[in-house]
Amino acid sequence: DGGITQSPKYLFRKEGQNVTLSCEQNLNHDAMYWYRQDPGQGLRLIYYSQIVNDFQKGDIAEGYSVSREKKESFPLTVTSAQKNPTAFYLCASSIGGQKGQETQYFGPGTRLLVL
Amino acid sequence: GDSVTQMEGPVTLSEEAFLTINCTYTATGYPSLFWYVQYPGEGLQLLLKATKADDKGSNKGFEATYRKETTSFHLEKGSVQVSDSAVYFCALGQTSGTYKYIFGTGTRLKVLA
């Protein structure tokens, strides 16, 4: 079955710790995205990548970092500089090339909690 | 900048009632418009989309028409079911510039049997 997987489902972060959220897709999509979801605020774009080895900051990139070394993988690191990381994180992918018109396919999400 | 505004929820309806969830947008150029649905604890799924003015997207009894003159993309369903209970997100895709997707804040729908 093709799709997007995110792991872990729940993640706990201690103060001052960096944590990495995994996102893998087997849809052969070029474009991948990370969103943060907070109650009452909808989805906000953190980073996106339209092709391997390239990525751009979204609207709330401060305190986060990403890499895109493989087409199928787009891990997100939440650094200690992110002071309010508690949220639901969603990864998505789209086919790429149909700019702004593509259906995004979402993973099941990772819930990050601070201890 | 570009933005999407959705009606605030929650919206509570009885089964078989008519549903409207309002969505308006501001954008430069000619964006594509989407409705996504999120069930509890899950990611979002595409419900329908429209890529140009006057297009109507439809799926599973839901419909929305891209109205450029009123910058709207309201979601409608003639007869809701309990299984339609979820959070609905309106979104736009920029077709120029940064090509980002911008989401509304979501509207929670609860359907009572």
Side-chain angles (χ1 to χ4, degrees), chain B residues 80-93:
Chain B
V80 294
Q81 306 300 313
V82 172
S83 58
D84 294 326
S85 299
V87 180
Y88 292 81
F89 290 90
C90 185
L92 72 82

Side-chain angles (χ1 to χ4, degrees), chain A residues 11 13 17-22 34 46-47 61-67 74-82 85 89 112:
Chain A
L11 186 59
R13 193 190 92 164
Q17 186 182 41
N18 293 352
V19 292
T20 298
L21 285 62
S22 169
W34 274 106
I46 304 173
Y47 270 97
E62 185 174 351
Y64 300 96
S65 66
V66 294
S67 63
F74 191 41
L76 173 75
T77 296
V78 184
T79 74
S80 57
Q82 172 51 243
Y89 290 86
L112 176 60

Side-chain angles (χ1 to χ4, degrees), chain B:
Chain B
D2 294 2
S3 65
V4 174
T5 302
Q6 285 182 241
M7 63 187 289
E8 292 211 12
V11 174
T12 303
L13 296 172
S14 298
E15 207 165 23
E16 299 183 4
F18 185 86
L19 169 71
T20 300
I21 299 179
N22 290 338
C23 172
T24 57
Y25 67 90
T26 58
T28 54
Y30 304 95
S32 294
L33 299 172
F34 305 81
W35 277 102
Y36 285 86
V37 60
Q38 184 180 34
Y39 298 100
E42 299 182 7
L44 280 67
Q45 306 170 26
L46 178 72
L47 185 57
L48 53 85
K49 72 178 187 181
T51 58
K52 61 182 188 296
D54 299 325
D55 268 2
K56 177 186 283 188
S58 61
N59 185 26
K60 300 180 181 178
F62 291 90
E63 293 183 341
T65 301
Y66 188 163
R67 301 283 188 202
K68 187 171 183 293
E69 64 275 13
T70 55
T71 61
S72 65
F73 193 54
H74 304 322
L75 182 68
E76 296 181 336
K77 186 176 186 183
S79 176
V80 294
Q81 306 300 313
V82 172
S83 58
D84 294 326
S85 299
V87 180
Y88 292 81
F89 290 90
C90 185
L92 72 82
Q94 298 174 328
T95 54
S96 61
T98 57
Y99 305 108
K100 293 189 300 185
Y101 296 86
I102 297 168
F103 287 78
T105 54
T107 302
R108 182 175 299 277
L109 170 66
K110 185 172 183 180
V111 180
L112 304 177

